[in-house]
Amino acid sequence: MYNLVMSRIIVFANQKGGVGKTTTAVNTGAFIADQGKKVLLVDFDPQGNLSSSVGADTKKPGIYDVITNKVNILEAVQETTVKNLFILSSTIELTGANIELINQKEREYFLKKVLLEVKEEYDFIFIDCPPSLGILTLNGLAAATEVIVPLQCEYFALEGLTLLLNTIKKIQVKINPTLVFTGIVFTMYDSRTRLANDVVEQVTRYFKEKVFKTVIPRNIRLSEAPSHGVPINQYNALCVGAKSYDNFAQEVISRG
């Protein structure tokens, strides 16, 4: 019997790679789970970085097996080392979905349909999409109630932001009218560089309250944690990266 809760389904999206998207999804999820909220991580990226970040068993059925109707979603959800944090894993097999879905009817809604079965069981569902605006990311945006954009504090990240926001607007018009643009979170911030400060200033001036107050700094412990298969709250809860994601998690909760 499910706990009838209204799930917040948040997709972390950015067509640029290496912006801290996966790091943000896993660590925000872990700190929210620490608050007693039930969180499902959905790895919708064939690279499977979200899965390895929590030590998921990729030999077990994952999201690819679910969307291709090989298994039920309930059979594919795995527990993690963090209480209340669960994962739907991914492998390189998901690359095939790009080809298999492209000619299907309602191809943007495959992920949304499979999440319908479990969305009332979780307080939060976090979707990590590939660094592109292809069919998998469209599925993530179609399935979500909200989108958060992790933005690296550098010039090239700004260039892609306009394209991404235009895509989100098109999704809101054509595919998912209830999708909310929750905001932008700055990642990999280095206070010593003028460019990083300029990016923060420019984006904050334009987007105002859509910018999260918490800024995620560059932090070696955040980079190390995935190789140990645990989120930062279990790898090094006292480092500056952990404290930043703890603060960010509180902001995400408060915006609900």
Side-chain angles (χ1 to χ4, degrees):
M1 185 70 182
Y2 293 152
N3 264 335
L4 293 177
V5 293
M6 270 311 284
S7 194
R8 288 176 65 189
I9 305 175
I10 302 176
V11 60
F12 293 86
N14 196 320
Q15 80 275 20
K16 188 177 184 302
V19 299
K21 190 167 46 62
T22 302
T23 302
T24 299
V26 66
N27 292 314
T28 307
F31 276 109
I32 290 177
D34 267 352
Q35 298 284 313
K37 304 289 186 186
K38 203 172 175 188
V39 182
L40 175 65
L41 302 174
V42 179
D43 192 347
F44 213 53
D45 184 343
Q47 294 178 79
N49 291 337
L50 187 65
S51 303
S52 57
S53 294
V54 293
D57 184 351
T58 52
K59 292 190 178 78
K60 290 183 177 177
I63 188 62
Y64 175 75
D65 302 289
V66 176
I67 64 169
T68 52
N69 295 314
K70 292 187 176 80
V71 299
N72 182 278
I73 190 169
L74 298 172
E75 301 170 64
V77 172
Q78 297 181 41
E79 293 182 352
T80 72
T81 54
V82 178
K83 187 181 178 184
N84 298 315
L85 185 68
F86 301 82
I87 178 83
L88 259 175
S89 68
S90 173
T91 63
I92 199 68
E93 274 189 316
L94 189 60
T95 306
N98 278 309
I99 300 158
E100 291 165 36
L101 296 181
I102 206 70
N103 294 318
Q104 300 279 342
K105 286 182 180 177
E106 299 191 320
R107 59 185 181 270
E108 300 91 353
Y109 300 106
F110 273 73
L111 183 58
K112 181 172 186 171
K113 287 171 185 171
V114 300
L115 291 181
L116 280 174
E117 192 168 345
V118 295
K119 72 173 190 168
E120 290 179 336
E121 190 180 352
Y122 297 94
D123 298 290
F124 289 85
I125 297 175
F126 285 175
I127 305 168
D128 186 29
C129 290
S132 70
L133 295 176
I135 191 70
L136 296 178
T137 299
L138 288 180
N139 264 260
L141 290 165
T145 57
E146 306 171 45
V147 55
I148 290 176
V149 176
L151 189 70
Q152 191 177 355
C153 298
E154 62 168 40
Y155 175 72
F156 290 115
L158 275 181
E159 283 194 324
L161 183 59
T162 305
L163 177 63
L164 177 61
L165 294 177
N166 285 339
T167 300
I168 290 169
K169 284 176 186 171
K170 288 176 185 173
I171 295 287
Q172 288 169 323
V173 171
K174 296 180 178 177
I175 294 174
N176 185 358
T178 59
L179 181 68
V180 174
F181 171 46
T182 299
I184 295 167
V185 56
F186 293 113
T187 60
M188 302 180 183
Y189 174 70
D190 185 345
S191 60
R192 298 168 299 177
T193 69
R194 182 174 174 180
L195 178 60
N197 288 300
D198 285 349
V199 168
V200 169
E201 188 184 330
Q202 282 182 52
V203 174
T204 304
R205 191 188 311 130
Y206 186 79
F207 289 99
K208 300 181 173 65
E209 74 281 352
K210 286 292 184 184
V211 175
F212 285 92
K213 291 183 175 64
T214 305
V215 176
I216 310 298
R218 285 193 178 276
N219 179 242
I220 190 68
R221 298 290 176 259
L222 284 175
S223 305
E224 291 170 350
S227 65
H228 295 268
V230 292
I232 194 64
N233 62 340
Q234 290 193 329
Y235 180 63
N236 189 324
L238 299 177
C239 71
V240 64
K243 290 173 181 174
S244 299
Y245 273 116
D246 192 7
N247 291 337
F248 178 64
Q250 300 311 315
E251 272 199 85
V252 171
I253 291 170
S254 69
R255 291 201 183 192

